[in-house]
Amino acid sequence: MRATVYLETFGCQMNVADSERADVRLRAAGFDLSGSPENADVIIFNTCSVRERAAHKVFTRIGEVRRQRIGSEPVVGVMGCVAQLEGESIFDASPIVNIVAGTRATDRLPQLISRALEGERRVLDLDERADGEVWDVPATARTSKYVAFVPIIEGCNKFCTYCIVPFSRGRESSRTAADIIAEIHELCHQGYKEIHLIGQNVNSYRPKTEAGLEGFKGATPFCRLLRAVATTGMERIKFTTSFPRDFNPDIVAAIDEHESLCEWIHLPVQSGSDRILRAMRRGHTVSDYLQRIEAVKNAARPMSITSDIIVGFPGETMEDFRETVKLVEQVGYDGLYIFKYSERHGTPAAKLNDDVSREEKSARFAELEEAQRRFQRTMYERYIDRVLNVLVERPSSKSESDMTGHSTCHKVVNFPGDSSMLGDVKRVRVTAAKQNSLYGEIISAP
Ligand code: SAH
Ligand code: SF4
Ligand code: F3S
């Protein structure tokens, strides 16, 4: 049966990568993919469960689609983290859902959809990956023609007490370096300029075999992988997320040795209080973290550092929060993602008393955001007159005569240009700093 599928993605880059893979598998199975839900025969939501608000979003969207599509009911499927966690109960919560496909079912999505199209009312798949499952996505199926996400490790073994990811994504599982390198060679061949090695914790990378890493030095398998990837010919290599406890200074050494390894590290600290870090079971203290930051700041090139923070974790006092503000000011982040603690059912922290009031969480969020805003302004102003190598990714949404892209230090940079420049790397001199972006002018070809 020839049917049209619309796929909508929420959550992190892992979900974006899974959706790209689902897209390829569906096309290969003969489905058409649609850019909008209006006329699609099948609507699939790839979901995120990291905070309550994220998890709710899918049910809001299902409600909207249901209202839009009265009289022509499409097959509706839920995949990703909410599917894995809520399983069969989604069918009861939302009777128009016909498919629930967990985080390891991506490759089986075409069969699951076919069963639903043939009339099966509740198609459920929460099984493990199939043996020999291939993670790579042909370049032709990618969302961007210039920047590609390459998963290197999936899942998480850390069990930070607040976090649902180890439950939704399962235990850590690393791809072989040989697979990763083959995929990157293919991306180079297709003209990709930038890749992001992605994983819940990339630096916990630990493949079952050394295949592909032979001959590469490094203090950890991840450091060896970085050096191996740096020799593929890919122009710009970024990686995210780094887990502080596993952050070996050899990562910085590898960046110093290879210009293609970009000068940006995302190293989430979550809190500036040792007491709270212990309750979160992060496995690092403030002082351990600052040592990692020191190593990054000693890199040969100036590095961008970004982080995630949770405010209002159970038991967080004003004093704990002050320590977080102090740490943020001390490190000087190029960007910060701040989250209000959200209790996730089934995590160890859900047993603690969620005792920081909603108002207090909002107040702490606003204060930290303001501190970061002030700092970021001066930090961004320091870029004025500097020249950055910017990958031209898309037309700017704000101005018709501008293009936009990212620098190697992962700043958003806008500049006058046109679509003929798409996919080029341009040297841009920064002329103005905005709150979350830079503005500049192209000076010459690199
Ligand atoms: N593996 C990464 C984080 C992945 S989840 C790491 O360890 O840093 C992305 C971010 O969501 C986390 O860094 C955290 O700041 C936030 N987060 C996770 N669970 C949360 C919760 N229950 N409430 C609020 N924020 C949460
Ligand atoms: Fe969640 Fe911690 Fe794993 Fe990050 S390291 S995904 S925060 S459990
Ligand atoms: Fe969300 Fe799942 Fe990613 S919970 S953050 S989509 S791993």
Side-chain angles (χ1 to χ4, degrees):
M1 190 186 316
R2 194 146 186 116
T4 305
V5 184
Y6 166 72
L7 190 58
E8 189 168 302
T9 309
F10 309 103
C12 66
Q13 287 156 349
M14 215 29 110
N15 268 13
V16 174
D18 279 348
S19 286
E20 287 179 341
R21 220 156 44 127
D23 185 303
V24 181
R25 304 294 181 262
L26 291 168
R27 283 177 207 274
F31 291 98
D32 292 320
L33 271 291
S34 156
S36 81
E38 270 100 64
N39 300 311
D41 305 305
V42 183
I43 298 177
I44 305 281
F45 295 104
N46 192 0
T47 57
C48 172
S49 186
V50 77
R51 285 170 295 279
E52 193 178 356
R53 197 203 285 256
H56 270 162
K57 214 175 204 164
V58 60
F59 295 105
T60 314
R61 281 294 289 137
I62 289 173
E64 284 166 13
V65 162
R66 190 157 101 197
R67 282 191 295 279
Q68 279 166 5
R69 294 289 300 267
I70 290 171
S72 65
E73 301 221 323
V75 163
V76 175
V78 176
M79 66 182 274
C81 292
V82 175
Q84 187 67 41
L85 292 164
E86 310 286 330
E88 207 162 1
S89 70
I90 296 178
F91 294 124
D92 300 320
S94 220
I96 73 156
V97 174
N98 312 113
I99 303 168
V100 171
T103 47
R104 272 87 83 187
T106 307
D107 274 10
R108 295 183 292 269
L109 205 55
Q111 293 93 298
L112 303 177
I113 292 179
S114 298
R115 279 163 52 192
L117 285 169
E118 281 156 19
E120 203 175 319
R121 290 292 307 147
R122 292 182 164 203
V123 181
L124 177 71
D125 184 341
L126 303 177
D127 298 343
E128 285 308 314
R129 291 175 178 290
D131 270 349
E133 183 178 342
V134 195
W135 288 26
D136 67 328
V137 172
T140 45
R142 304 239 177 199
T143 318
S144 160
K145 288 205 288 251
Y146 321 110
V147 183
F149 294 146
V150 177
I152 63 167
I153 175 171
E154 203 207 19
C156 185
N157 295 352
K158 310 297 192 259
F159 292 94
C160 303
T161 54
Y162 50 83
C163 187
I164 200 73
V165 171
F167 304 93
S168 66
R169 288 277 167 177
R171 294 301 76 75
E172 286 169 6
S173 152
S174 299
R175 282 174 79 184
T176 66
D179 268 8
I180 296 166
I181 302 221
E183 182 175 358
I184 297 171
H185 276 302
E186 177 58 23
L187 290 164
C188 288
H189 184 68
Q190 298 277 344
Y192 277 80
K193 295 288 169 57
E194 180 173 307
I195 56 155
H196 293 214
L197 305 175
I198 61 165
Q200 269 77 32
N201 299 296
V202 279
N203 53 336
S204 308
Y205 178 70
R206 200 164 291 278
K208 287 206 192 79
T209 80
E210 286 280 302
L213 292 176
E214 303 91 347
F216 290 99
K217 289 192 288 54
T220 61
F222 180 63
C223 294
R224 288 208 284 286
L225 179 71
L226 279 181
R227 290 185 171 89
V229 171
T231 61
T232 54
M234 179 53 69
E235 202 170 320
R236 297 151 60 106
I237 298 151
K238 297 178 179 175
F239 54 88
T240 179
T241 298
S242 297
F243 188 62
R245 196 181 64 205
D246 294 347
F247 193 88
N248 192 297
D250 190 28
I251 295 174
V252 181
I255 293 173
D256 284 349
E257 286 158 35
H258 299 278
E259 213 183 314
S260 57
L261 299 176
C262 291
E263 57 275 22
W264 165 50
I265 302 281
H266 183 58
L267 196 64
V269 66
Q270 312 299 357
S271 169
S273 152
D274 279 338
R275 212 174 62 82
I276 296 298
L277 287 173
R278 218 172 314 126
M280 289 176 161
R281 243 184 265 143
R282 287 288 288 177
H284 64 81
T285 61
V286 170
S287 137
D288 298 332
Y289 182 80
L290 288 173
Q291 276 173 29
R292 268 60 164 190
I293 292 292
E294 193 55 28
V296 174
K297 289 193 171 173
N298 285 331
R301 285 170 282 166
M303 301 285 292
S304 274
I305 307 172
T306 55
S307 188
D308 297 349
I309 303 263
I310 296 175
V311 296
F313 184 82
E316 186 188 73
T317 61
M318 211 48 200
E319 213 166 294
D320 294 316
F321 173 67
R322 290 273 155 257
E323 291 187 56
T324 298
V325 179
K326 194 174 115 204
L327 178 82
V328 165
E329 287 169 346
Q330 193 175 348
V331 174
Y333 290 109
D334 293 74
L336 198 58
Y337 299 92
I338 308 165
F339 305 104
K340 295 176 207 167
Y341 171 71
S342 163
E343 185 175 298
R344 305 314 287 135
H345 182 71
T347 61
K351 295 200 188 74
L352 304 173
N353 184 13
D354 186 3
D355 55 359
V356 181
S357 71
R358 194 192 284 244
E359 295 72 32
E360 188 53 34
K361 280 179 189 147
S362 297
R364 291 180 194 178
F365 181 98
E367 182 180 338
L368 190 58
E369 195 181 40
E370 183 50 34
Q372 175 63 20
R373 207 195 299 270
R374 277 196 306 270
F375 176 79
Q376 218 172 286
R377 182 155 285 274
T378 38
M379 155 84 94
Y380 271 46
E381 277 164 4
R382 276 186 232 143
Y383 278 88
I384 293 178
D385 281 337
R386 273 182 58 184
V387 174
L388 301 174
N389 287 329
V390 181
L391 173 59
V392 188
E393 291 165 48
R394 65 185 72 87
S396 154
S397 53
K398 305 235 171 69
S399 156
E400 269 183 21
S401 52
D402 288 345
M403 299 299 285
T404 185
H406 285 86
S407 62
T408 47
C409 58
H410 210 56
K411 301 275 184 299
V412 173
V413 186
N414 297 296
F415 47 90
D418 59 63
S419 300
S420 70
M421 298 170 180
L422 281 170
D424 293 349
V425 173
K426 298 286 190 194
R427 283 165 64 77
V428 175
R429 184 185 301 284
V430 178
T431 55
K434 306 271 160 63
Q435 185 58 50
N436 291 307
S437 66
L438 299 170
Y439 195 83
E441 283 162 6
I442 295 177
I443 52 172
S444 67

